[in-house]
Structure formats: C-alpha cells, structure tokens
Amino acid sequence: MNSFRLIAIYSLILLGAVFCKPISERKQPPPTLEQLASEDLNLNGEQLANAYCATCHLKPEPQILDKSTWKDKVLPDMRKRMGLYLEEDFGTIMPIDMDVPKGIYSDIPFINKDNWEKLKTYYLDNAPDIPNPQADKASINLGVPGFEIVRPKFTNFYPDLVTLLRVEPSSGKLWLGHRFKSIFVLDPSRNFQILDSIATDTAPIDIHWDKSSNSFELLTMGVMDPSNDSSGVVNEFYKSGQDWKSKPVLENLKRPVNLEYADFNGDGILDKVVCEFGNHVGELSLYLSNGDHWEKQVLKNSPGARRVVIEDLDDDGDLDILVLMTQANEGFFAFLNQGEGEFREKILLRFHPAFGSSDFQFLDVNQDGLKDLILVNGDNADLSQVLKSFHGVRIFLNQGDLDFEPSWFYPMHGASGLEIDDFDQDGDQDFFVLSFFPDQNQSPKQNLLYFQQNEKMDFQAYSPVIEEDSHWLTMTKGDLDADGDLDLVVGVFEFDDLYKQPQEAWSPIVVFKNQKK
C-alpha cells in the first residue's frame, strides 16, 4: 500500500466539508473513484459519502429526499454507476437494457459491499420519512393584473403538444412548433388564424430568423424523450415560390435544446453555440465558421446543457459563454474567451444532482448596473419524482467579478420556464414562471405565476384564473397586437395526447394580452 497516497486521501476525506465547496476553493482535487477503490478505507458512512459523491458532482445531503426515494430509486442507481451489483438486482432493468453508453455504469466495482452498506445507512438514517414541506411564502393573489386571458379555439382536431413558441420580430406573427414534426405560423391580428404550416424532420425546439420571415434556421431535437440518440439537426429553411425548402447545416446533434449565435472568430459570419442536452451523454458545442464548413469545438463534454448566454462576461473586450448545466453536475459555468479559439472554464455556482435546474435569464434585477442570474429549478422527471421543497424561483445577485450571491427564493413546485421583462412598464423587471410539475393539490393553482416587482426586489405573486386546466411546457413574450406593450403566450403540452385521438377542437395556446396600452 502506498502510505503517502493513503494519507493524502484520508486528509481530504476527514476534512469533510471540503467536498461541498466549489472546485475553485479546493486546495487539491478530490480523490478519484479508482483511488478510493484501491485503498482499504476505514471510514464511516458520512465520510464515505463525502468522498464518493465529490468524485462526480456536488454531494447531495440526505435531507433533500425522503427515505423511500433514496432507498428505492436514487441509491440503487448510484450503486450501479459505481459498478456494485447485488442479488437484489436480478430480474430488474439493467443499464444494458436502457441504451446506456459504455462507461456510464462501471464494469468493475469502485466500492465494496461493506462500505456501500455504511454509505446507504448514512443516507437512510438521516433522510426524512416524507418529503420536506415547502417553507412559508408570501400569499398568492388571484388574477393577473393588467392582462386579459384568451384561449383561442381552432376548428381542426389536433393534439396539444407544443414544443416551441416564438414571436417573429419583423411581422409579429406567432410561430408554433409541434411535437408531431410541424411548425404553424399564426396571425394574432386575426384570432390566431393559421397562415402557414411547415413540415420538419422531428420536434422543433429553437428558431432564429434571418432579416425576414422568408428564411430561418430551425433546431430540431431528434428524439424528444430521454435518449442518447444523435439525430438532432439545424436546418436552414427558405422560401422557393410558395414552397418551403430546407437543407441541413449541422447534423448528428445529441438531443439539442438551445441554439445561439455570435461571431467569435471575426470573419463576419455568425458562429453557433449548441446545447446538446443528451441524456447520459451530451455536449456544449461551439461551431466556428471556416469557409464552406463548420469546425466543431466541444467546450464541455457532459450532458445537461440547457441554455447559453453569449456576452463579454469579464469585460476584456471579447465574447464569452455562460451556460446552465442541468444534469447530475448542475450549475452555472462560464467559458471565458482567451483568444485564438481557446476558452477557460470557470465554475460560478454548483447545485446538487437532484436540484432540478430548468431555465434561467441573465438580467439586472436590482438596477445596480450588474446583470444577475434568475433561475427556475423544478425539473422532476428523473429518479426522484416527489415534491421538493427546494424547487422554485431564485435570484443570485451579481457582486462583481462573476461572484453571484443567493438573494431571493420563492418556493414553487416544478418551476420550469421563465420569461422576464418590464411587463407593467414601471421601470423594473417582472417575471412569469410556469411549472410543468406542479403540486396538483395546491390552491390556488401554481402551474403559472406572475411576479410583479413593486419595490426593488419586492415581488407580489399572482395566479391566473383559467377554467380549463392544462399542462404548460413553453412560453414566449412579444407585442402580438402591436400596441407597444408585451404580451405572453403559453403553450400546452398534454402527454395523454401522444397516445389517444383528440376529442376536442385544437386549443394549443393561452394568450395573456397586456392591457397597459
């Protein structure tokens, strides 16, 4: 046994809290799974959790989930990822049955059975019997002040499966992407009459227009459900007479969900940053223009890239990339441009793997001249599908030098979508937040909340009164009626519509018409 290596490993583990700090604050990196497996570690359950969890992500504390969820869902998966299989696994679904790429679940055990039992006991002994309740929060008022709510009805029968909503800037038309491989162009001035429909290869998820609505680039996901498939595509669409034509620009993308543009190499052509969310595998990718082709540069070889913002984050005169990662190793990461196509990764904030990060915006909320991080975390579609007290809306205020401090939190089960602007035109930012995984027993309903900022960082929550209950997945803002204020459109996504024939007229959107002007 290498005594010097063993002493180093013990010194890290016995410090305990070192594994919960951001990597940038550690004096040295945590031991790898290989190092831990090679030593005869005489540690208790908490020390083992501190050591093993830190090798892959921020350590989750036992209190975040209830005993049953730890015991039946999360811990068995964690054990299999470390290559330890027990008699109880016989007859259950194994990684090989789930299209999991090699290497995600180890072929060799990195933890022995005795140590696993100690780690497991630590979590089960310290977890609550039932999920923790939400903390007390400010009351919610019924109705959304300043908005008229309209739900257009169409004459055709079609599933409510909206995957994309955008207001086209030059025309004000609403573009609606549908899971069944279509885009519909709707005219808000004529009760959202369908003006055009465009066939796509798979579900549309993001769109960017050229200078007019006669050409655009469309990002399609490939397989929308959790998958390691690589069939996502960026297609260029253009009008040829009355017909739409398309040609692929980027192919073989890993379940992509977000596409942004900027000229990083100064050649006058917009380069592309793609969030390839994936599932067990994924990437944050930069595609640089080079003559007649695109050169791919993988910035982060991990699944879960959800959304990027491209700005000069460090005020050095060039463009950087800010990304929200939402799978396992969750958090905000900055990729700082070093020139010559080189980027330096900087961790800004990290969250535990059950945190459920879903979406964010980068705006100045408190009007101090620095842009803040506004995050919704409520993804509840993975192993731990229970109500979580830490789901909600969060503001991390910018302290300068890319230092962000948690400053405001509103508990909201399943918070998953976010639109921010000065909707009431009083000079500050207001939020619309939707939830795809709400608590159906809460009253009033909280699948959509409007947070009106009255004083600096003082928000009043409102819940719309809508007779027809729906599951809402997407939303977008825009001046639909060209009256000088911003409206909101929410897209309906009913999973049941995937498997049954629609029985009612198509009703895919809910429109919040701003009455300010």
Side-chain angles (χ1 to χ4, degrees):
M1 179 185 297
N2 186 326
S3 59
F4 292 103
R5 183 174 64 179
L6 182 58
I7 290 171
I9 292 174
Y10 266 86
S11 64
L12 280 172
I13 294 171
L14 295 176
L15 285 173
V18 71
F19 292 103
C20 296
K21 293 182 178 180
I23 289 176
S24 59
E25 297 180 19
R26 296 179 186 148
K27 300 300 182 183
Q28 52 186 311
T32 64
L33 285 173
E34 290 82 358
Q35 288 174 319
L36 292 170
S38 68
E39 307 295 350
D40 183 17
L41 301 175
N42 183 22
L43 303 173
N44 63 34
E46 181 177 10
Q47 292 166 339
L48 287 165
N50 289 339
Y52 276 95
C53 293
T55 62
C56 299
H57 48 66
L58 196 67
K59 176 200 169 188
E61 295 300 324
Q63 295 78 15
I64 67 169
L65 299 173
D66 61 283
K67 282 183 171 62
S68 177
T69 302
W70 279 118
K71 179 176 180 292
D72 299 331
K73 298 291 185 179
V74 178
L75 288 174
D77 187 71
M78 176 182 173
R79 171 173 54 76
K80 293 174 186 176
R81 285 176 181 261
M82 293 192 292
L84 180 62
Y85 292 87
L86 304 176
E87 294 83 356
E88 63 198 63
D89 297 321
F90 293 131
T92 64
I93 296 176
M94 303 297 279
I96 195 172
D97 304 317
M98 300 186 295
D99 184 36
V100 179
K102 188 174 179 61
I104 303 299
Y105 291 79
S106 176
D107 292 331
I108 60 173
F110 285 122
I111 189 170
N112 62 45
K113 187 175 180 179
D114 289 342
N115 280 340
W116 171 254
E117 288 300 324
K118 288 192 286 186
L119 187 152
K120 174 183 173 182
T121 299
Y122 161 68
Y123 272 97
L124 297 183
D125 283 353
N126 291 281
D129 292 329
I130 59 174
N132 292 321
Q134 279 186 341
D136 292 338
K137 58 185 181 182
S139 61
I140 299 173
N141 292 344
L142 286 177
V144 179
F147 288 86
E148 176 191 359
I149 300 175
V150 178
R151 187 158 188 179
K153 297 287 186 180
F154 296 80
T155 56
N156 55 323
F157 285 65
Y158 204 57
D160 290 332
L161 296 168
V162 179
T163 60
L164 168 68
L165 286 172
R166 292 289 189 277
V167 178
E168 197 274 307
S170 66
S171 68
K173 302 297 188 292
L174 178 65
W175 290 52
L176 183 154
H178 195 278
R179 173 153 175 167
F180 287 171
K181 302 187 290 187
S182 300
I183 286 182
F184 297 93
V185 183
L186 310 179
D187 186 354
S189 68
R190 290 189 281 178
N191 198 29
F192 296 91
Q193 176 183 336
I194 298 175
L195 301 178
D196 203 351
S197 62
I198 306 166
T200 64
D201 53 354
T202 58
I205 194 68
D206 206 351
I207 188 170
H208 291 261
W209 289 273
D210 198 356
K211 295 179 181 179
S212 73
S213 56
N214 288 327
S215 63
F216 61 92
E217 286 193 348
L218 182 72
L219 179 67
T220 52
M221 288 188 71
V223 178
M224 187 173 176
D225 297 327
S227 168
N228 296 305
D229 190 76
S230 298
S231 56
V233 178
V234 176
N235 276 304
E236 179 187 353
F237 283 77
Y238 54 94
K239 261 296 184 59
S240 177
Q242 296 300 311
D243 299 324
W244 286 99
K245 304 290 185 181
S246 68
K247 59 182 180 181
V249 179
L250 302 176
E251 298 181 281
N252 303 317
L253 303 176
K254 299 179 177 69
R255 202 163 161 247
V257 295
N258 182 221
L259 172 65
E260 296 295 340
Y261 296 77
D263 183 6
F264 285 95
N265 55 10
D267 64 355
I269 299 173
L270 292 178
D271 307 304
K272 309 175 196 297
V273 181
V274 184
C275 290
E276 299 185 57
F277 189 101
N279 186 24
H280 295 97
V281 294
E283 295 171 346
L284 174 65
S285 304
L286 169 62
Y287 289 84
L288 294 170
S289 62
N290 187 354
D292 60 353
H293 68 281
W294 299 92
E295 291 186 353
K296 180 176 181 178
Q297 181 176 343
V298 177
L299 298 176
K300 194 168 184 65
N301 188 18
S302 299
R306 174 62 186 89
R307 186 176 301 283
V308 297
V309 168
I310 302 173
E311 290 198 16
D312 183 4
L313 299 173
D314 52 6
D315 297 320
D316 65 350
D318 52 26
L319 292 173
D320 310 301
I321 299 170
L322 171 65
V323 63
L324 173 64
M325 301 296 296
T326 64
Q327 195 90 321
N329 190 17
E330 297 191 26
F332 285 101
F333 299 79
F335 290 84
L336 303 177
N337 196 335
Q338 306 298 293
E340 303 297 326
E342 297 294 326
F343 289 83
R344 176 173 63 87
E345 180 178 343
K346 179 180 176 64
I347 299 172
L348 305 184
L349 294 167
R350 294 183 75 203
F351 312 118
H352 62 73
F355 197 67
S357 304
S358 294
D359 202 1
F360 84 101
Q361 292 200 20
F362 189 48
L363 297 166
D364 183 5
V365 177
N366 62 347
Q367 300 178 327
D368 65 351
L370 299 174
K371 291 189 176 182
D372 310 300
L373 292 170
I374 306 95
L375 170 72
V376 288
N377 66 300
D379 182 12
N380 216 20
D382 293 321
L383 292 172
S384 55
Q385 296 180 18
V386 294
L387 296 174
K388 299 180 174 70
S389 61
F390 49 84
H391 277 177
V393 194
R394 300 169 185 272
I395 298 174
F396 298 88
L397 289 180
N398 193 338
Q399 308 299 307
D401 295 324
L402 296 179
D403 178 26
F404 295 88
E405 293 293 334
S407 304
W408 184 82
F409 171 61
Y410 192 92
M412 182 178 178
H413 289 304
S416 50
L418 181 66
E419 281 290 355
I420 301 178
D421 217 299
D422 184 10
F423 289 100
D424 59 5
Q425 298 186 352
D426 66 348
D428 53 31
Q429 303 289 341
D430 312 301
F431 307 167
F432 275 97
V433 180
L434 66 78
S435 167
F436 193 64
F437 305 97
D439 180 356
Q440 300 291 355
N441 296 318
Q442 280 186 321
S443 181
K445 293 178 181 177
Q446 296 174 39
N447 52 359
L448 181 75
L449 293 179
Y450 173 56
F451 294 91
Q452 186 177 47
Q453 188 172 186
N454 298 312
E455 302 292 337
K456 187 180 296 185
M457 296 292 289
D458 177 27
F459 296 88
Q460 175 61 55
Y462 296 88
S463 174
V465 179
I466 301 176
E467 292 184 4
E468 299 175 75
D469 195 19
S470 297
H471 292 92
W472 297 338
L473 179 64
T474 55
M475 64 179 171
T476 195
K477 64 185 179 184
D479 188 0
L480 295 171
D481 46 11
D483 65 350
D485 54 28
L486 288 172
D487 311 296
L488 187 87
V489 186
V490 182
V492 181
F493 194 97
E494 300 290 358
F495 265 115
D496 288 347
D497 284 6
L498 285 168
Y499 312 107
K500 68 179 184 181
Q501 191 72 20
Q503 301 298 312
E504 299 179 356
W506 194 34
S507 183
I509 57 174
V510 179
V511 181
F512 290 71
K513 298 177 67 175
N514 198 331
Q515 304 298 298
K516 190 67 180 179
K517 291 186 177 180

mmCIF file of all heavy atoms in Angstrom, residues 221 227 254-258 274-284 302-307 324-327 357-358 379 382:
data_model
loop_
_atom_site.group_PDB
_atom_site.id
_atom_site.type_symbol
_atom_site.label_atom_id
_atom_site.label_comp_id
_atom_site.label_asym_id
_atom_site.label_seq_id
_atom_site.Cartn_x
_atom_site.Cartn_y
_atom_site.Cartn_z
ATOM 1 N N MET A 221 -34.962 18.459 -32.245
ATOM 2 C CA MET A 221 -34.347 17.683 -31.169
ATOM 3 C C MET A 221 -33.896 16.292 -31.581
ATOM 4 O O MET A 221 -33.012 15.714 -30.957
ATOM 5 C CB MET A 221 -35.329 17.540 -29.999
ATOM 6 C CG MET A 221 -35.552 18.793 -29.208
ATOM 7 S SD MET A 221 -36.546 18.487 -27.723
ATOM 8 C CE MET A 221 -35.381 17.567 -26.711
ATOM 9 N N SER A 227 -32.955 10.298 -24.178
ATOM 10 C CA SER A 227 -32.319 9.425 -25.153
ATOM 11 C C SER A 227 -30.873 9.842 -25.338
ATOM 12 O O SER A 227 -30.512 11.001 -25.128
ATOM 13 C CB SER A 227 -33.062 9.508 -26.494
ATOM 14 O OG SER A 227 -32.332 8.900 -27.533
ATOM 15 N N LYS A 254 -26.734 15.755 -30.296
ATOM 16 C CA LYS A 254 -27.220 14.907 -29.205
ATOM 17 C C LYS A 254 -28.386 15.581 -28.476
ATOM 18 O O LYS A 254 -28.201 16.328 -27.543
ATOM 19 C CB LYS A 254 -26.082 14.610 -28.223
ATOM 20 C CG LYS A 254 -24.895 13.871 -28.819
ATOM 21 C CD LYS A 254 -23.811 13.662 -27.764
ATOM 22 C CE LYS A 254 -22.637 12.872 -28.313
ATOM 23 N NZ LYS A 254 -21.873 13.654 -29.316
ATOM 24 N N ARG A 255 -29.593 15.339 -28.964
ATOM 25 C CA ARG A 255 -30.813 15.852 -28.313
ATOM 26 C C ARG A 255 -30.658 17.330 -27.944
ATOM 27 O O ARG A 255 -30.747 17.722 -26.784
ATOM 28 C CB ARG A 255 -31.127 15.009 -27.078
ATOM 29 C CG ARG A 255 -32.579 15.065 -26.619
ATOM 30 C CD ARG A 255 -32.867 13.897 -25.676
ATOM 31 N NE ARG A 255 -34.040 14.117 -24.876
ATOM 32 C CZ ARG A 255 -34.038 14.295 -23.546
ATOM 33 N NH1 ARG A 255 -32.914 14.269 -22.872
ATOM 34 N NH2 ARG A 255 -35.156 14.472 -22.902
ATOM 35 N N PRO A 256 -30.447 18.189 -28.931
ATOM 36 C CA PRO A 256 -30.179 19.608 -28.663
ATOM 37 C C PRO A 256 -31.434 20.350 -28.219
ATOM 38 O O PRO A 256 -32.555 20.008 -28.612
ATOM 39 C CB PRO A 256 -29.690 20.119 -30.016
ATOM 40 C CG PRO A 256 -30.400 19.244 -31.009
ATOM 41 C CD PRO A 256 -30.463 17.883 -30.368
ATOM 42 N N VAL A 257 -31.240 21.413 -27.407
ATOM 43 C CA VAL A 257 -32.380 22.159 -26.880
ATOM 44 C C VAL A 257 -32.236 23.672 -27.022
ATOM 45 O O VAL A 257 -33.207 24.402 -26.815
ATOM 46 C CB VAL A 257 -32.619 21.815 -25.392
ATOM 47 C CG1 VAL A 257 -33.026 20.356 -25.232
ATOM 48 C CG2 VAL A 257 -31.392 22.121 -24.541
ATOM 49 N N ASN A 258 -31.048 24.177 -27.364
ATOM 50 C CA ASN A 258 -30.849 25.625 -27.438
ATOM 51 C C ASN A 258 -29.749 25.922 -28.445
ATOM 52 O O ASN A 258 -28.747 25.201 -28.528
ATOM 53 C CB ASN A 258 -30.483 26.175 -26.060
ATOM 54 C CG ASN A 258 -30.291 27.682 -26.029
ATOM 55 O OD1 ASN A 258 -29.386 28.189 -25.381
ATOM 56 N ND2 ASN A 258 -31.137 28.433 -26.705
ATOM 57 N N VAL A 274 -24.301 25.371 -29.459
ATOM 58 C CA VAL A 274 -25.417 24.436 -29.355
ATOM 59 C C VAL A 274 -25.377 23.744 -27.993
ATOM 60 O O VAL A 274 -24.342 23.195 -27.595
ATOM 61 C CB VAL A 274 -25.380 23.371 -30.472
ATOM 62 C CG1 VAL A 274 -26.615 22.475 -30.392
ATOM 63 C CG2 VAL A 274 -25.292 24.027 -31.845
ATOM 64 N N CYS A 275 -26.511 23.786 -27.299
ATOM 65 C CA CYS A 275 -26.681 22.994 -26.078
ATOM 66 C C CYS A 275 -27.193 21.620 -26.484
ATOM 67 O O CYS A 275 -28.381 21.449 -26.779
ATOM 68 C CB CYS A 275 -27.675 23.661 -25.136
ATOM 69 S SG CYS A 275 -27.084 25.171 -24.369
ATOM 70 N N GLU A 276 -26.296 20.642 -26.520
ATOM 71 C CA GLU A 276 -26.679 19.266 -26.822
ATOM 72 C C GLU A 276 -26.971 18.569 -25.489
ATOM 73 O O GLU A 276 -26.096 17.952 -24.888
ATOM 74 C CB GLU A 276 -25.573 18.566 -27.600
ATOM 75 C CG GLU A 276 -25.264 19.230 -28.940
ATOM 76 C CD GLU A 276 -24.245 18.464 -29.757
ATOM 77 O OE1 GLU A 276 -24.481 17.276 -30.049
ATOM 78 O OE2 GLU A 276 -23.197 19.053 -30.092
ATOM 79 N N PHE A 277 -28.211 18.684 -25.056
ATOM 80 C CA PHE A 277 -28.599 18.219 -23.722
ATOM 81 C C PHE A 277 -28.306 16.732 -23.542
ATOM 82 O O PHE A 277 -27.756 16.311 -22.533
ATOM 83 C CB PHE A 277 -30.087 18.493 -23.506
ATOM 84 C CG PHE A 277 -30.561 18.268 -22.102
ATOM 85 C CD1 PHE A 277 -30.746 19.337 -21.249
ATOM 86 C CD2 PHE A 277 -30.836 16.992 -21.624
ATOM 87 C CE1 PHE A 277 -31.186 19.141 -19.944
ATOM 88 C CE2 PHE A 277 -31.275 16.783 -20.329
ATOM 89 C CZ PHE A 277 -31.448 17.863 -19.484
ATOM 90 N N GLY A 278 -28.712 15.918 -24.527
ATOM 91 C CA GLY A 278 -28.470 14.486 -24.446
ATOM 92 C C GLY A 278 -29.248 13.827 -23.324
ATOM 93 O O GLY A 278 -30.354 14.230 -22.962
ATOM 94 N N ASN A 279 -28.632 12.827 -22.728
ATOM 95 C CA ASN A 279 -29.214 12.132 -21.578
ATOM 96 C C ASN A 279 -28.077 11.662 -20.675
ATOM 97 O O ASN A 279 -27.678 12.361 -19.759
ATOM 98 C CB ASN A 279 -30.087 10.967 -22.040
ATOM 99 C CG ASN A 279 -30.818 10.300 -20.890
ATOM 100 O OD1 ASN A 279 -31.050 10.926 -19.853
ATOM 101 N ND2 ASN A 279 -31.173 9.039 -21.045
ATOM 102 N N HIS A 280 -27.519 10.495 -20.945
ATOM 103 C CA HIS A 280 -26.315 10.076 -20.217
ATOM 104 C C HIS A 280 -25.069 10.741 -20.795
ATOM 105 O O HIS A 280 -24.072 10.922 -20.091
ATOM 106 C CB HIS A 280 -26.151 8.555 -20.283
ATOM 107 C CG HIS A 280 -27.243 7.807 -19.579
ATOM 108 N ND1 HIS A 280 -28.329 7.296 -20.246
ATOM 109 C CD2 HIS A 280 -27.422 7.503 -18.269
ATOM 110 C CE1 HIS A 280 -29.133 6.700 -19.382
ATOM 111 N NE2 HIS A 280 -28.609 6.812 -18.180
ATOM 112 N N VAL A 281 -25.116 11.056 -22.082
ATOM 113 C CA VAL A 281 -24.023 11.773 -22.731
ATOM 114 C C VAL A 281 -24.596 13.020 -23.387
ATOM 115 O O VAL A 281 -25.770 13.076 -23.747
ATOM 116 C CB VAL A 281 -23.301 10.895 -23.782
ATOM 117 C CG1 VAL A 281 -22.587 9.743 -23.122
ATOM 118 C CG2 VAL A 281 -24.288 10.387 -24.838
ATOM 119 N N GLY A 282 -23.776 14.033 -23.531
ATOM 120 C CA GLY A 282 -24.186 15.278 -24.159
ATOM 121 C C GLY A 282 -22.995 16.206 -24.247
ATOM 122 O O GLY A 282 -21.893 15.882 -23.771
ATOM 123 N N GLU A 283 -23.202 17.377 -24.843
ATOM 124 C CA GLU A 283 -22.089 18.303 -25.049
ATOM 125 C C GLU A 283 -22.592 19.740 -25.084
ATOM 126 O O GLU A 283 -23.738 20.004 -25.458
ATOM 127 C CB GLU A 283 -21.381 18.014 -26.384
ATOM 128 C CG GLU A 283 -20.697 16.672 -26.464
ATOM 129 C CD GLU A 283 -20.206 16.350 -27.867
ATOM 130 O OE1 GLU A 283 -20.620 17.040 -28.826
ATOM 131 O OE2 GLU A 283 -19.419 15.400 -28.002
ATOM 132 N N LEU A 284 -21.709 20.647 -24.717
ATOM 133 C CA LEU A 284 -21.850 22.055 -25.069
ATOM 134 C C LEU A 284 -20.855 22.296 -26.189
ATOM 135 O O LEU A 284 -19.646 22.136 -25.998
ATOM 136 C CB LEU A 284 -21.548 22.956 -23.874
ATOM 137 C CG LEU A 284 -21.522 24.458 -24.179
ATOM 138 C CD1 LEU A 284 -22.892 24.953 -24.608
ATOM 139 C CD2 LEU A 284 -21.007 25.250 -22.987
ATOM 140 N N SER A 302 -20.308 16.929 -21.359
ATOM 141 C CA SER A 302 -21.203 16.459 -20.298
ATOM 142 C C SER A 302 -22.638 16.676 -20.745
ATOM 143 O O SER A 302 -22.925 17.613 -21.495
ATOM 144 C CB SER A 302 -20.966 17.227 -18.989
ATOM 145 O OG SER A 302 -19.655 17.063 -18.518
ATOM 146 N N PRO A 303 -23.569 15.847 -20.260
ATOM 147 C CA PRO A 303 -24.974 16.063 -20.600
ATOM 148 C C PRO A 303 -25.578 17.196 -19.784
ATOM 149 O O PRO A 303 -25.040 17.603 -18.755
ATOM 150 C CB PRO A 303 -25.620 14.722 -20.233
ATOM 151 C CG PRO A 303 -24.774 14.204 -19.110
ATOM 152 C CD PRO A 303 -23.371 14.647 -19.424
ATOM 153 N N GLY A 304 -26.713 17.708 -20.261
ATOM 154 C CA GLY A 304 -27.493 18.648 -19.466
ATOM 155 C C GLY A 304 -27.353 20.108 -19.819
ATOM 156 O O GLY A 304 -27.940 20.950 -19.130
ATOM 157 N N ALA A 305 -26.605 20.468 -20.876
ATOM 158 C CA ALA A 305 -26.526 21.880 -21.265
ATOM 159 C C ALA A 305 -27.919 22.345 -21.670
ATOM 160 O O ALA A 305 -28.513 21.825 -22.607
ATOM 161 C CB ALA A 305 -25.539 22.061 -22.411
ATOM 162 N N ARG A 306 -28.443 23.344 -20.963
ATOM 163 C CA ARG A 306 -29.840 23.747 -21.162
ATOM 164 C C ARG A 306 -29.974 25.071 -21.917
ATOM 165 O O ARG A 306 -30.794 25.204 -22.807
ATOM 166 C CB ARG A 306 -30.535 23.856 -19.797
ATOM 167 C CG ARG A 306 -31.951 24.414 -19.838
ATOM 168 C CD ARG A 306 -32.886 23.533 -20.638
ATOM 169 N NE ARG A 306 -34.198 24.143 -20.791
ATOM 170 C CZ ARG A 306 -34.544 24.962 -21.773
ATOM 171 N NH1 ARG A 306 -33.651 25.296 -22.704
ATOM 172 N NH2 ARG A 306 -35.765 25.463 -21.851
ATOM 173 N N ARG A 307 -29.202 26.063 -21.540
ATOM 174 C CA ARG A 307 -29.315 27.368 -22.195
ATOM 175 C C ARG A 307 -27.995 28.114 -22.059
ATOM 176 O O ARG A 307 -27.307 27.986 -21.040
ATOM 177 C CB ARG A 307 -30.443 28.196 -21.578
ATOM 178 C CG ARG A 307 -30.694 29.516 -22.321
ATOM 179 C CD ARG A 307 -31.877 30.273 -21.754
ATOM 180 N NE ARG A 307 -33.114 29.523 -21.799
ATOM 181 C CZ ARG A 307 -33.849 29.341 -22.890
ATOM 182 N NH1 ARG A 307 -33.436 29.834 -24.052
ATOM 183 N NH2 ARG A 307 -34.975 28.666 -22.839
ATOM 184 N N LEU A 324 -26.021 27.134 -18.390
ATOM 185 C CA LEU A 324 -26.647 26.414 -17.283
ATOM 186 C C LEU A 324 -26.608 24.928 -17.606
ATOM 187 O O LEU A 324 -27.158 24.489 -18.614
ATOM 188 C CB LEU A 324 -28.095 26.871 -17.095
ATOM 189 C CG LEU A 324 -28.921 26.074 -16.071
ATOM 190 C CD1 LEU A 324 -28.354 26.241 -14.666
ATOM 191 C CD2 LEU A 324 -30.396 26.496 -16.116
ATOM 192 N N MET A 325 -25.946 24.152 -16.737
ATOM 193 C CA MET A 325 -25.897 22.696 -16.861
ATOM 194 C C MET A 325 -26.909 22.103 -15.884
ATOM 195 O O MET A 325 -26.954 22.494 -14.716
ATOM 196 C CB MET A 325 -24.498 22.169 -16.565
ATOM 197 C CG MET A 325 -23.405 22.732 -17.464
ATOM 198 S SD MET A 325 -23.578 22.293 -19.214
ATOM 199 C CE MET A 325 -23.374 20.500 -19.146
ATOM 200 N N THR A 326 -27.700 21.133 -16.355
ATOM 201 C CA THR A 326 -28.853 20.696 -15.570
ATOM 202 C C THR A 326 -28.929 19.188 -15.377
ATOM 203 O O THR A 326 -29.980 18.678 -15.000
ATOM 204 C CB THR A 326 -30.152 21.169 -16.253
ATOM 205 O OG1 THR A 326 -30.278 20.526 -17.527
ATOM 206 C CG2 THR A 326 -30.151 22.673 -16.454
ATOM 207 N N GLN A 327 -27.840 18.481 -15.601
ATOM 208 C CA GLN A 327 -27.874 17.026 -15.482
ATOM 209 C C GLN A 327 -26.709 16.583 -14.602
ATOM 210 O O GLN A 327 -25.549 16.765 -14.963
ATOM 211 C CB GLN A 327 -27.767 16.384 -16.877
ATOM 212 C CG GLN A 327 -28.144 14.915 -16.942
ATOM 213 C CD GLN A 327 -29.610 14.691 -17.221
ATOM 214 O OE1 GLN A 327 -30.443 15.420 -16.706
ATOM 215 N NE2 GLN A 327 -29.933 13.692 -18.010
ATOM 216 N N SER A 357 -32.416 22.058 -11.959
ATOM 217 C CA SER A 357 -32.266 23.303 -12.728
ATOM 218 C C SER A 357 -32.962 23.166 -14.077
ATOM 219 O O SER A 357 -32.817 22.154 -14.761
ATOM 220 C CB SER A 357 -30.785 23.609 -12.951
ATOM 221 O OG SER A 357 -30.088 23.671 -11.730
ATOM 222 N N SER A 358 -33.706 24.207 -14.469
ATOM 223 C CA SER A 358 -34.525 24.100 -15.676
ATOM 224 C C SER A 358 -34.305 25.221 -16.683
ATOM 225 O O SER A 358 -34.282 24.982 -17.882
ATOM 226 C CB SER A 358 -36.012 24.054 -15.304
ATOM 227 O OG SER A 358 -36.316 22.875 -14.600
ATOM 228 N N ASP A 379 -37.234 20.726 -12.388
ATOM 229 C CA ASP A 379 -37.305 19.511 -13.203
ATOM 230 C C ASP A 379 -37.546 18.321 -12.281
ATOM 231 O O ASP A 379 -36.791 18.080 -11.347
ATOM 232 C CB ASP A 379 -36.001 19.335 -13.979
ATOM 233 C CG ASP A 379 -36.025 18.110 -14.884
ATOM 234 O OD1 ASP A 379 -37.110 17.535 -15.080
ATOM 235 O OD2 ASP A 379 -34.958 17.718 -15.388
ATOM 236 N N ASP A 382 -36.847 12.833 -13.321
ATOM 237 C CA ASP A 382 -35.785 11.836 -13.212
ATOM 238 C C ASP A 382 -36.133 10.792 -12.150
ATOM 239 O O ASP A 382 -37.289 10.442 -11.965
ATOM 240 C CB ASP A 382 -34.457 12.534 -12.924
ATOM 241 C CG ASP A 382 -33.993 13.375 -14.112
ATOM 242 O OD1 ASP A 382 -34.163 12.923 -15.250
ATOM 243 O OD2 ASP A 382 -33.473 14.478 -13.894
#
